[in-house]
Amino acid sequence: MGIVMLIGFIFGTICVVGGGFAIRRGDTDAGKLSIIGGLIIAGAPVIVKALFTAFGLDGSTVDVGAFE
């Protein structure tokens, strides 16, 4: 699971950087979508952990470390 999260973080970071370059070229719509998608991909483990905490499933087997 850690390898999948690492690959997702790297791919999300690449999407955010690519979106920045797209905005710089003048393609703002594609750039904004790429940045938003990259943030969601890179932050997916934290988003899932927050949802688990919100619904009271803290004792689950999915853990991304300290989250405060």
Side-chain angles (χ1 to χ4, degrees), residues 20-41:
F21 282 123
I23 290 175
R24 186 174 179 197
R25 283 192 318 263
D27 192 8
T28 56
D29 291 334
K32 286 188 268 186
L33 288 175
S34 180
I35 289 173
I36 292 170
L39 291 174
I40 292 172
I41 292 169

Side-chain angles (χ1 to χ4, degrees), residues 17 19 22 32 48:
V17 171
K32 286 188 268 186
V48 169

Side-chain angles (χ1 to χ4, degrees), residues 34-67:
S34 180
I35 289 173
I36 292 170
L39 291 174
I40 292 172
I41 292 169
V46 176
I47 294 169
V48 169
K49 178 66 175 176
L51 288 174
F52 274 39
T53 303
F55 291 114
L57 301 172
D58 292 337
S60 67
T61 58
V62 177
D63 192 14
V64 293
F67 180 68

